[in-house]
PDB file of all heavy atoms in Angstrom:
ATOM      1  N   LEU A   1       7.096  12.643   0.716  1.00 95.00           N
ATOM      2  CA  LEU A   1       8.462  12.210   1.005  1.00 95.00           C
ATOM      3  C   LEU A   1       9.236  13.415   1.469  1.00 95.00           C
ATOM      4  O   LEU A   1       9.551  14.318   0.610  1.00 95.00           O
ATOM      5  CB  LEU A   1       9.128  11.587  -0.259  1.00 95.00           C
ATOM      6  CG  LEU A   1      10.584  11.185  -0.130  1.00 95.00           C
ATOM      7  CD1 LEU A   1      10.765   9.981   0.790  1.00 95.00           C
ATOM      8  CD2 LEU A   1      11.119  10.783  -1.532  1.00 95.00           C
ATOM      9  N   ASP A   2       9.522  13.569   2.735  1.00 94.00           N
ATOM     10  CA  ASP A   2      10.089  14.785   3.260  1.00 94.00           C
ATOM     11  C   ASP A   2      11.584  14.724   3.623  1.00 94.00           C
ATOM     12  O   ASP A   2      12.181  15.742   3.943  1.00 94.00           O
ATOM     13  CB  ASP A   2       9.265  15.329   4.445  1.00 94.00           C
ATOM     14  CG  ASP A   2       9.300  14.370   5.643  1.00 94.00           C
ATOM     15  OD1 ASP A   2       9.860  13.250   5.551  1.00 94.00           O
ATOM     16  OD2 ASP A   2       8.684  14.760   6.703  1.00 94.00           O
ATOM     17  N   ASP A   3      12.097  13.546   3.610  1.00 96.00           N
ATOM     18  CA  ASP A   3      13.580  13.379   3.870  1.00 96.00           C
ATOM     19  C   ASP A   3      14.028  12.021   3.345  1.00 96.00           C
ATOM     20  O   ASP A   3      13.272  11.073   3.222  1.00 96.00           O
ATOM     21  CB  ASP A   3      13.819  13.449   5.405  1.00 96.00           C
ATOM     22  CG  ASP A   3      15.279  13.689   5.728  1.00 96.00           C
ATOM     23  OD1 ASP A   3      16.066  14.053   4.798  1.00 96.00           O
ATOM     24  OD2 ASP A   3      15.702  13.674   6.916  1.00 96.00           O
ATOM     25  N   ALA A   4      15.342  11.977   2.906  1.00 96.00           N
ATOM     26  CA  ALA A   4      15.802  10.733   2.262  1.00 96.00           C
ATOM     27  C   ALA A   4      17.326  10.860   2.220  1.00 96.00           C
ATOM     28  O   ALA A   4      17.955  11.895   2.299  1.00 96.00           O
ATOM     29  CB  ALA A   4      15.264  10.587   0.917  1.00 96.00           C
ATOM     30  N   SER A   5      17.945   9.661   2.135  1.00 96.00           N
ATOM     31  CA  SER A   5      19.406   9.549   1.930  1.00 96.00           C
ATOM     32  C   SER A   5      19.682  10.069   0.505  1.00 96.00           C
ATOM     33  O   SER A   5      18.884  10.038  -0.377  1.00 96.00           O
ATOM     34  CB  SER A   5      19.947   8.177   2.165  1.00 96.00           C
ATOM     35  OG  SER A   5      19.358   7.259   1.255  1.00 96.00           O
ATOM     36  N   SER A   6      20.950  10.540   0.277  1.00 95.00           N
ATOM     37  CA  SER A   6      21.300  11.050  -0.978  1.00 95.00           C
ATOM     38  C   SER A   6      21.396   9.984  -2.042  1.00 95.00           C
ATOM     39  O   SER A   6      21.334  10.217  -3.251  1.00 95.00           O
ATOM     40  CB  SER A   6      22.715  11.756  -0.903  1.00 95.00           C
ATOM     41  OG  SER A   6      23.691  10.867  -0.467  1.00 95.00           O
ATOM     42  N   ASP A   7      21.537   8.677  -1.610  1.00 96.00           N
ATOM     43  CA  ASP A   7      21.619   7.576  -2.592  1.00 96.00           C
ATOM     44  C   ASP A   7      20.303   6.824  -2.755  1.00 96.00           C
ATOM     45  O   ASP A   7      20.318   5.728  -3.321  1.00 96.00           O
ATOM     46  CB  ASP A   7      22.698   6.660  -2.162  1.00 96.00           C
ATOM     47  CG  ASP A   7      22.429   5.922  -0.807  1.00 96.00           C
ATOM     48  OD1 ASP A   7      21.593   6.504  -0.050  1.00 96.00           O
ATOM     49  OD2 ASP A   7      23.050   4.917  -0.532  1.00 96.00           O
ATOM     50  N   LEU A   8      19.219   7.377  -2.296  1.00 96.00           N
ATOM     51  CA  LEU A   8      17.947   6.646  -2.288  1.00 96.00           C
ATOM     52  C   LEU A   8      17.527   6.263  -3.724  1.00 96.00           C
ATOM     53  O   LEU A   8      17.511   7.128  -4.636  1.00 96.00           O
ATOM     54  CB  LEU A   8      16.797   7.521  -1.646  1.00 96.00           C
ATOM     55  CG  LEU A   8      15.386   6.934  -1.795  1.00 96.00           C
ATOM     56  CD1 LEU A   8      15.254   5.605  -1.061  1.00 96.00           C
ATOM     57  CD2 LEU A   8      14.327   7.923  -1.297  1.00 96.00           C
ATOM     58  N   VAL A   9      17.170   4.988  -3.891  1.00 96.00           N
ATOM     59  CA  VAL A   9      16.507   4.497  -5.078  1.00 96.00           C
ATOM     60  C   VAL A   9      15.336   3.657  -4.615  1.00 96.00           C
ATOM     61  O   VAL A   9      15.553   2.752  -3.770  1.00 96.00           O
ATOM     62  CB  VAL A   9      17.445   3.657  -5.984  1.00 96.00           C
ATOM     63  CG1 VAL A   9      16.659   3.046  -7.143  1.00 96.00           C
ATOM     64  CG2 VAL A   9      18.566   4.524  -6.537  1.00 96.00           C
ATOM     65  N   TYR A  10      14.142   3.954  -5.131  1.00 95.00           N
ATOM     66  CA  TYR A  10      13.073   3.089  -4.751  1.00 95.00           C
ATOM     67  C   TYR A  10      12.223   2.734  -5.945  1.00 95.00           C
ATOM     68  O   TYR A  10      12.233   3.366  -7.000  1.00 95.00           O
ATOM     69  CB  TYR A  10      12.235   3.669  -3.616  1.00 95.00           C
ATOM     70  CG  TYR A  10      11.332   4.812  -3.882  1.00 95.00           C
ATOM     71  CD1 TYR A  10      10.452   5.260  -2.919  1.00 95.00           C
ATOM     72  CD2 TYR A  10      11.244   5.534  -5.098  1.00 95.00           C
ATOM     73  CE1 TYR A  10       9.613   6.306  -3.023  1.00 95.00           C
ATOM     74  CE2 TYR A  10      10.423   6.604  -5.317  1.00 95.00           C
ATOM     75  CZ  TYR A  10       9.568   6.987  -4.301  1.00 95.00           C
ATOM     76  OH  TYR A  10       8.674   8.085  -4.521  1.00 95.00           O
ATOM     77  N   ALA A  11      11.514   1.615  -5.794  1.00 96.00           N
ATOM     78  CA  ALA A  11      10.582   1.087  -6.818  1.00 96.00           C
ATOM     79  C   ALA A  11       9.230   0.931  -6.261  1.00 96.00           C
ATOM     80  O   ALA A  11       9.045   0.899  -5.028  1.00 96.00           O
ATOM     81  CB  ALA A  11      11.165  -0.165  -7.398  1.00 96.00           C
ATOM     82  N   GLY A  12       8.218   0.872  -7.115  1.00 95.00           N
ATOM     83  CA  GLY A  12       6.933   0.584  -6.597  1.00 95.00           C
ATOM     84  C   GLY A  12       5.843   0.916  -7.616  1.00 95.00           C
ATOM     85  O   GLY A  12       6.056   0.960  -8.840  1.00 95.00           O
ATOM     86  N   GLY A  13       4.666   1.096  -7.089  1.00 93.00           N
ATOM     87  CA  GLY A  13       3.522   1.364  -7.949  1.00 93.00           C
ATOM     88  C   GLY A  13       2.381   1.950  -7.234  1.00 93.00           C
ATOM     89  O   GLY A  13       2.357   1.958  -6.012  1.00 93.00           O
ATOM     90  N   HIS A  14       1.452   2.472  -7.964  1.00 92.00           N
ATOM     91  CA  HIS A  14       0.187   2.954  -7.439  1.00 92.00           C
ATOM     92  C   HIS A  14      -0.976   2.003  -7.939  1.00 92.00           C
ATOM     93  O   HIS A  14      -1.184   1.866  -9.126  1.00 92.00           O
ATOM     94  CB  HIS A  14      -0.066   4.422  -7.915  1.00 92.00           C
ATOM     95  CG  HIS A  14       0.809   5.389  -7.281  1.00 92.00           C
ATOM     96  ND1 HIS A  14       0.477   6.723  -7.145  1.00 92.00           N
ATOM     97  CD2 HIS A  14       1.982   5.261  -6.619  1.00 92.00           C
ATOM     98  CE1 HIS A  14       1.412   7.394  -6.551  1.00 92.00           C
ATOM     99  NE2 HIS A  14       2.339   6.530  -6.156  1.00 92.00           N
ATOM    100  N   LEU A  15      -1.546   1.338  -6.987  1.00 91.00           N
ATOM    101  CA  LEU A  15      -2.473   0.220  -7.222  1.00 91.00           C
ATOM    102  C   LEU A  15      -3.868   0.722  -7.068  1.00 91.00           C
ATOM    103  O   LEU A  15      -4.279   1.009  -5.943  1.00 91.00           O
ATOM    104  CB  LEU A  15      -2.146  -0.939  -6.276  1.00 91.00           C
ATOM    105  CG  LEU A  15      -2.796  -2.273  -6.512  1.00 91.00           C
ATOM    106  CD1 LEU A  15      -2.390  -2.897  -7.807  1.00 91.00           C
ATOM    107  CD2 LEU A  15      -2.537  -3.161  -5.290  1.00 91.00           C
ATOM    108  N   PRO A  16      -4.687   0.724  -8.117  1.00 88.00           N
ATOM    109  CA  PRO A  16      -6.089   1.100  -7.981  1.00 88.00           C
ATOM    110  C   PRO A  16      -6.863   0.156  -7.061  1.00 88.00           C
ATOM    111  O   PRO A  16      -6.524  -1.027  -6.899  1.00 88.00           O
ATOM    112  CB  PRO A  16      -6.663   0.953  -9.442  1.00 88.00           C
ATOM    113  CG  PRO A  16      -5.450   1.089 -10.297  1.00 88.00           C
ATOM    114  CD  PRO A  16      -4.339   0.456  -9.531  1.00 88.00           C
ATOM    115  N   LEU A  17      -7.893   0.691  -6.331  1.00 86.00           N
ATOM    116  CA  LEU A  17      -8.635  -0.082  -5.417  1.00 86.00           C
ATOM    117  C   LEU A  17      -9.299  -1.302  -6.103  1.00 86.00           C
ATOM    118  O   LEU A  17      -9.494  -2.340  -5.418  1.00 86.00           O
ATOM    119  CB  LEU A  17      -9.686   0.758  -4.738  1.00 86.00           C
ATOM    120  CG  LEU A  17      -9.273   1.739  -3.689  1.00 86.00           C
ATOM    121  CD1 LEU A  17     -10.466   2.280  -2.938  1.00 86.00           C
ATOM    122  CD2 LEU A  17      -8.270   1.158  -2.765  1.00 86.00           C
ATOM    123  N   VAL A  18      -9.597  -1.171  -7.306  1.00 83.00           N
ATOM    124  CA  VAL A  18     -10.220  -2.387  -7.980  1.00 83.00           C
ATOM    125  C   VAL A  18      -9.281  -3.520  -8.013  1.00 83.00           C
ATOM    126  O   VAL A  18      -9.755  -4.701  -7.943  1.00 83.00           O
ATOM    127  CB  VAL A  18     -10.685  -2.026  -9.448  1.00 83.00           C
ATOM    128  CG1 VAL A  18      -9.479  -1.808 -10.344  1.00 83.00           C
ATOM    129  CG2 VAL A  18     -11.606  -3.063 -10.004  1.00 83.00           C
ATOM    130  N   HIS A  19      -7.988  -3.304  -7.988  1.00 87.00           N
ATOM    131  CA  HIS A  19      -7.048  -4.379  -7.827  1.00 87.00           C
ATOM    132  C   HIS A  19      -6.724  -4.715  -6.373  1.00 87.00           C
ATOM    133  O   HIS A  19      -6.536  -5.828  -5.953  1.00 87.00           O
ATOM    134  CB  HIS A  19      -5.706  -4.023  -8.537  1.00 87.00           C
ATOM    135  CG  HIS A  19      -5.855  -3.910 -10.027  1.00 87.00           C
ATOM    136  ND1 HIS A  19      -6.516  -4.800 -10.772  1.00 87.00           N
ATOM    137  CD2 HIS A  19      -5.408  -2.942 -10.800  1.00 87.00           C
ATOM    138  CE1 HIS A  19      -6.456  -4.376 -12.023  1.00 87.00           C
ATOM    139  NE2 HIS A  19      -5.793  -3.256 -12.124  1.00 87.00           N
ATOM    140  N   PHE A  20      -6.665  -3.674  -5.519  1.00 89.00           N
ATOM    141  CA  PHE A  20      -6.379  -3.842  -4.105  1.00 89.00           C
ATOM    142  C   PHE A  20      -7.340  -4.839  -3.463  1.00 89.00           C
ATOM    143  O   PHE A  20      -6.954  -5.704  -2.707  1.00 89.00           O
ATOM    144  CB  PHE A  20      -6.350  -2.521  -3.369  1.00 89.00           C
ATOM    145  CG  PHE A  20      -6.163  -2.611  -1.880  1.00 89.00           C
ATOM    146  CD1 PHE A  20      -4.912  -2.968  -1.429  1.00 89.00           C
ATOM    147  CD2 PHE A  20      -7.197  -2.395  -1.034  1.00 89.00           C
ATOM    148  CE1 PHE A  20      -4.735  -3.065  -0.026  1.00 89.00           C
ATOM    149  CE2 PHE A  20      -6.959  -2.460   0.362  1.00 89.00           C
ATOM    150  CZ  PHE A  20      -5.743  -2.807   0.845  1.00 89.00           C
ATOM    151  N   PHE A  21      -8.642  -4.711  -3.798  1.00 84.00           N
ATOM    152  CA  PHE A  21      -9.587  -5.577  -3.207  1.00 84.00           C
ATOM    153  C   PHE A  21      -9.729  -6.878  -3.815  1.00 84.00           C
ATOM    154  O   PHE A  21     -10.575  -7.692  -3.426  1.00 84.00           O
ATOM    155  CB  PHE A  21     -10.979  -4.832  -3.075  1.00 84.00           C
ATOM    156  CG  PHE A  21     -10.987  -3.885  -1.940  1.00 84.00           C
ATOM    157  CD1 PHE A  21     -10.874  -2.505  -2.157  1.00 84.00           C
ATOM    158  CD2 PHE A  21     -11.142  -4.272  -0.647  1.00 84.00           C
ATOM    159  CE1 PHE A  21     -10.894  -1.602  -1.105  1.00 84.00           C
ATOM    160  CE2 PHE A  21     -11.085  -3.421   0.461  1.00 84.00           C
ATOM    161  CZ  PHE A  21     -11.030  -2.055   0.173  1.00 84.00           C
ATOM    162  N   ARG A  22      -8.910  -7.160  -4.826  1.00 85.00           N
ATOM    163  CA  ARG A  22      -8.724  -8.498  -5.303  1.00 85.00           C
ATOM    164  C   ARG A  22      -7.776  -9.313  -4.466  1.00 85.00           C
ATOM    165  O   ARG A  22      -7.711 -10.526  -4.543  1.00 85.00           O
ATOM    166  CB  ARG A  22      -8.231  -8.485  -6.773  1.00 85.00           C
ATOM    167  CG  ARG A  22      -9.250  -8.034  -7.801  1.00 85.00           C
ATOM    168  CD  ARG A  22      -8.465  -7.852  -9.213  1.00 85.00           C
ATOM    169  NE  ARG A  22      -7.702  -9.019  -9.557  1.00 85.00           N
ATOM    170  CZ  ARG A  22      -6.769  -8.976 -10.512  1.00 85.00           C
ATOM    171  NH1 ARG A  22      -6.506  -7.857 -11.138  1.00 85.00           N
ATOM    172  NH2 ARG A  22      -6.110 -10.112 -10.878  1.00 85.00           N
ATOM    173  N   LEU A  23      -7.002  -8.649  -3.660  1.00 88.00           N
ATOM    174  CA  LEU A  23      -5.936  -9.228  -2.865  1.00 88.00           C
ATOM    175  C   LEU A  23      -6.591 -10.215  -1.819  1.00 88.00           C
ATOM    176  O   LEU A  23      -7.568  -9.842  -1.138  1.00 88.00           O
ATOM    177  CB  LEU A  23      -5.106  -8.201  -2.108  1.00 88.00           C
ATOM    178  CG  LEU A  23      -4.139  -7.353  -2.956  1.00 88.00           C
ATOM    179  CD1 LEU A  23      -3.570  -6.169  -2.203  1.00 88.00           C
ATOM    180  CD2 LEU A  23      -2.974  -8.309  -3.495  1.00 88.00           C
ATOM    181  N   ARG A  24      -5.968 -11.347  -1.632  1.00 86.00           N
ATOM    182  CA  ARG A  24      -6.434 -12.244  -0.568  1.00 86.00           C
ATOM    183  C   ARG A  24      -5.582 -11.956   0.705  1.00 86.00           C
ATOM    184  O   ARG A  24      -4.641 -12.611   1.049  1.00 86.00           O
ATOM    185  CB  ARG A  24      -6.095 -13.729  -1.051  1.00 86.00           C
ATOM    186  CG  ARG A  24      -7.018 -14.131  -2.179  1.00 86.00           C
ATOM    187  CD  ARG A  24      -6.544 -15.438  -2.833  1.00 86.00           C
ATOM    188  NE  ARG A  24      -5.278 -15.303  -3.461  1.00 86.00           N
ATOM    189  CZ  ARG A  24      -4.670 -16.294  -4.115  1.00 86.00           C
ATOM    190  NH1 ARG A  24      -5.218 -17.487  -4.199  1.00 86.00           N
ATOM    191  NH2 ARG A  24      -3.469 -16.042  -4.682  1.00 86.00           N
ATOM    192  N   LEU A  25      -6.042 -10.943   1.341  1.00 85.00           N
ATOM    193  CA  LEU A  25      -5.467 -10.455   2.604  1.00 85.00           C
ATOM    194  C   LEU A  25      -6.590 -10.504   3.608  1.00 85.00           C
ATOM    195  O   LEU A  25      -7.779 -10.444   3.381  1.00 85.00           O
ATOM    196  CB  LEU A  25      -4.996  -8.983   2.459  1.00 85.00           C
ATOM    197  CG  LEU A  25      -3.806  -8.712   1.573  1.00 85.00           C
ATOM    198  CD1 LEU A  25      -3.516  -7.222   1.470  1.00 85.00           C
ATOM    199  CD2 LEU A  25      -2.554  -9.444   2.026  1.00 85.00           C
ATOM    200  N   PRO A  26      -6.122 -10.637   4.924  1.00 84.00           N
ATOM    201  CA  PRO A  26      -7.184 -10.544   6.023  1.00 84.00           C
ATOM    202  C   PRO A  26      -7.974  -9.236   5.902  1.00 84.00           C
ATOM    203  O   PRO A  26      -7.420  -8.180   5.669  1.00 84.00           O
ATOM    204  CB  PRO A  26      -6.300 -10.624   7.263  1.00 84.00           C
ATOM    205  CG  PRO A  26      -5.045 -11.203   6.814  1.00 84.00           C
ATOM    206  CD  PRO A  26      -4.793 -10.796   5.441  1.00 84.00           C
ATOM    207  N   SER A  27      -9.255  -9.373   6.127  1.00 77.00           N
ATOM    208  CA  SER A  27     -10.126  -8.143   5.975  1.00 77.00           C
ATOM    209  C   SER A  27      -9.722  -7.108   6.977  1.00 77.00           C
ATOM    210  O   SER A  27      -9.864  -5.916   6.664  1.00 77.00           O
ATOM    211  CB  SER A  27     -11.570  -8.538   6.113  1.00 77.00           C
ATOM    212  OG  SER A  27     -11.829  -9.186   7.375  1.00 77.00           O
ATOM    213  N   ASP A  28      -9.287  -7.510   8.227  1.00 82.00           N
ATOM    214  CA  ASP A  28      -8.872  -6.457   9.106  1.00 82.00           C
ATOM    215  C   ASP A  28      -7.711  -5.757   8.716  1.00 82.00           C
ATOM    216  O   ASP A  28      -7.535  -4.532   8.962  1.00 82.00           O
ATOM    217  CB  ASP A  28      -8.705  -7.082  10.559  1.00 82.00           C
ATOM    218  CG  ASP A  28      -7.624  -8.136  10.649  1.00 82.00           C
ATOM    219  OD1 ASP A  28      -7.294  -8.689   9.614  1.00 82.00           O
ATOM    220  OD2 ASP A  28      -7.096  -8.364  11.770  1.00 82.00           O
ATOM    221  N   LEU A  29      -6.735  -6.400   7.983  1.00 88.00           N
ATOM    222  CA  LEU A  29      -5.535  -5.745   7.514  1.00 88.00           C
ATOM    223  C   LEU A  29      -5.950  -4.735   6.412  1.00 88.00           C
ATOM    224  O   LEU A  29      -5.470  -3.617   6.339  1.00 88.00           O
ATOM    225  CB  LEU A  29      -4.586  -6.742   7.055  1.00 88.00           C
ATOM    226  CG  LEU A  29      -3.270  -6.187   6.329  1.00 88.00           C
ATOM    227  CD1 LEU A  29      -2.561  -5.188   7.284  1.00 88.00           C
ATOM    228  CD2 LEU A  29      -2.361  -7.335   5.869  1.00 88.00           C
ATOM    229  N   GLN A  30      -6.778  -5.192   5.491  1.00 85.00           N
ATOM    230  CA  GLN A  30      -7.295  -4.247   4.481  1.00 85.00           C
ATOM    231  C   GLN A  30      -7.896  -3.008   5.066  1.00 85.00           C
ATOM    232  O   GLN A  30      -7.646  -1.926   4.619  1.00 85.00           O
ATOM    233  CB  GLN A  30      -8.284  -4.968   3.540  1.00 85.00           C
ATOM    234  CG  GLN A  30      -7.678  -6.016   2.584  1.00 85.00           C
ATOM    235  CD  GLN A  30      -8.757  -6.615   1.682  1.00 85.00           C
ATOM    236  OE1 GLN A  30      -9.930  -6.786   2.066  1.00 85.00           O
ATOM    237  NE2 GLN A  30      -8.321  -6.987   0.503  1.00 85.00           N
ATOM    238  N   ALA A  31      -8.735  -3.230   6.101  1.00 83.00           N
ATOM    239  CA  ALA A  31      -9.423  -2.060   6.756  1.00 83.00           C
ATOM    240  C   ALA A  31      -8.444  -1.115   7.355  1.00 83.00           C
ATOM    241  O   ALA A  31      -8.525   0.065   7.235  1.00 83.00           O
ATOM    242  CB  ALA A  31     -10.430  -2.589   7.758  1.00 83.00           C
ATOM    243  N   ARG A  32      -7.376  -1.682   8.046  1.00 88.00           N
ATOM    244  CA  ARG A  32      -6.422  -0.885   8.739  1.00 88.00           C
ATOM    245  C   ARG A  32      -5.649  -0.001   7.721  1.00 88.00           C
ATOM    246  O   ARG A  32      -5.343   1.165   7.949  1.00 88.00           O
ATOM    247  CB  ARG A  32      -5.425  -1.773   9.509  1.00 88.00           C
ATOM    248  CG  ARG A  32      -6.017  -2.422  10.733  1.00 88.00           C
ATOM    249  CD  ARG A  32      -6.093  -1.499  11.934  1.00 88.00           C
ATOM    250  NE  ARG A  32      -4.744  -1.157  12.406  1.00 88.00           N
ATOM    251  CZ  ARG A  32      -4.012  -1.881  13.230  1.00 88.00           C
ATOM    252  NH1 ARG A  32      -4.468  -3.094  13.650  1.00 88.00           N
ATOM    253  NH2 ARG A  32      -2.791  -1.491  13.656  1.00 88.00           N
ATOM    254  N   LEU A  33      -5.323  -0.611   6.604  1.00 90.00           N
ATOM    255  CA  LEU A  33      -4.598   0.195   5.543  1.00 90.00           C
ATOM    256  C   LEU A  33      -5.497   1.275   4.958  1.00 90.00           C
ATOM    257  O   LEU A  33      -4.981   2.426   4.829  1.00 90.00           O
ATOM    258  CB  LEU A  33      -4.125  -0.748   4.451  1.00 90.00           C
ATOM    259  CG  LEU A  33      -3.013  -1.785   4.748  1.00 90.00           C
ATOM    260  CD1 LEU A  33      -2.898  -2.787   3.601  1.00 90.00           C
ATOM    261  CD2 LEU A  33      -1.681  -1.032   4.938  1.00 90.00           C
ATOM    262  N   MET A  34      -6.695   0.951   4.750  1.00 87.00           N
ATOM    263  CA  MET A  34      -7.560   2.005   4.223  1.00 87.00           C
ATOM    264  C   MET A  34      -7.863   3.127   5.245  1.00 87.00           C
ATOM    265  O   MET A  34      -8.203   4.240   4.838  1.00 87.00           O
ATOM    266  CB  MET A  34      -8.957   1.352   3.751  1.00 87.00           C
ATOM    267  CG  MET A  34      -8.801   0.435   2.546  1.00 87.00           C
ATOM    268  SD  MET A  34      -8.018   1.231   1.075  1.00 87.00           S
ATOM    269  CE  MET A  34      -9.011   2.588   0.836  1.00 87.00           C
ATOM    270  N   GLN A  35      -7.754   2.794   6.505  1.00 85.00           N
ATOM    271  CA  GLN A  35      -7.915   3.796   7.538  1.00 85.00           C
ATOM    272  C   GLN A  35      -6.624   4.567   7.807  1.00 85.00           C
ATOM    273  O   GLN A  35      -6.662   5.493   8.633  1.00 85.00           O
ATOM    274  CB  GLN A  35      -8.368   3.105   8.861  1.00 85.00           C
ATOM    275  CG  GLN A  35      -9.832   2.485   8.721  1.00 85.00           C
ATOM    276  CD  GLN A  35     -10.120   1.522   9.770  1.00 85.00           C
ATOM    277  OE1 GLN A  35      -9.316   1.314  10.709  1.00 85.00           O
ATOM    278  NE2 GLN A  35     -11.203   0.740   9.641  1.00 85.00           N
ATOM    279  N   GLY A  36      -5.641   4.383   7.057  1.00 89.00           N
ATOM    280  CA  GLY A  36      -4.381   5.236   7.168  1.00 89.00           C
ATOM    281  C   GLY A  36      -3.146   4.566   7.743  1.00 89.00           C
ATOM    282  O   GLY A  36      -2.153   5.232   7.864  1.00 89.00           O
ATOM    283  N   ALA A  37      -3.166   3.316   8.049  1.00 93.00           N
ATOM    284  CA  ALA A  37      -2.002   2.621   8.589  1.00 93.00           C
ATOM    285  C   ALA A  37      -1.075   2.366   7.436  1.00 93.00           C
ATOM    286  O   ALA A  37      -1.393   2.296   6.235  1.00 93.00           O
ATOM    287  CB  ALA A  37      -2.357   1.293   9.225  1.00 93.00           C
ATOM    288  N   THR A  38       0.245   2.232   7.754  1.00 96.00           N
ATOM    289  CA  THR A  38       1.343   1.948   6.816  1.00 96.00           C
ATOM    290  C   THR A  38       1.919   0.562   7.199  1.00 96.00           C
ATOM    291  O   THR A  38       2.295   0.342   8.298  1.00 96.00           O
ATOM    292  CB  THR A  38       2.430   3.004   6.877  1.00 96.00           C
ATOM    293  OG1 THR A  38       1.943   4.293   6.497  1.00 96.00           O
ATOM    294  CG2 THR A  38       3.588   2.629   5.894  1.00 96.00           C
TER     295      THR A  38
END
C-alpha cells in the first residue's frame, strides 16, 4: 500500500488457498487471480 487518502478505512482478510479453492468461481478467473491479476 504505497498511497492512500488520510481518511482511509478498509476491511478484509487473508484467505488461505485451502479456502480459496473451495470457491465456486470460474476456473479461468481463479487462474487469472493466481497469476497476479487484481
Side-chain angles (χ1 to χ4, degrees):
L1 176 67
D2 62 357
D3 198 8
S5 62
S6 60
D7 63 341
L8 173 64
V9 173
Y10 73 173
H14 287 203
L15 187 67
L17 285 192
V18 69
H19 296 314
F20 176 71
F21 281 104
R22 288 171 52 197
L23 288 167
R24 292 168 295 182
L25 293 175
S27 57
D28 60 338
L29 175 56
Q30 286 183 328
R32 291 278 294 277
L33 289 169
M34 293 306 303
Q35 292 163 9
T38 299

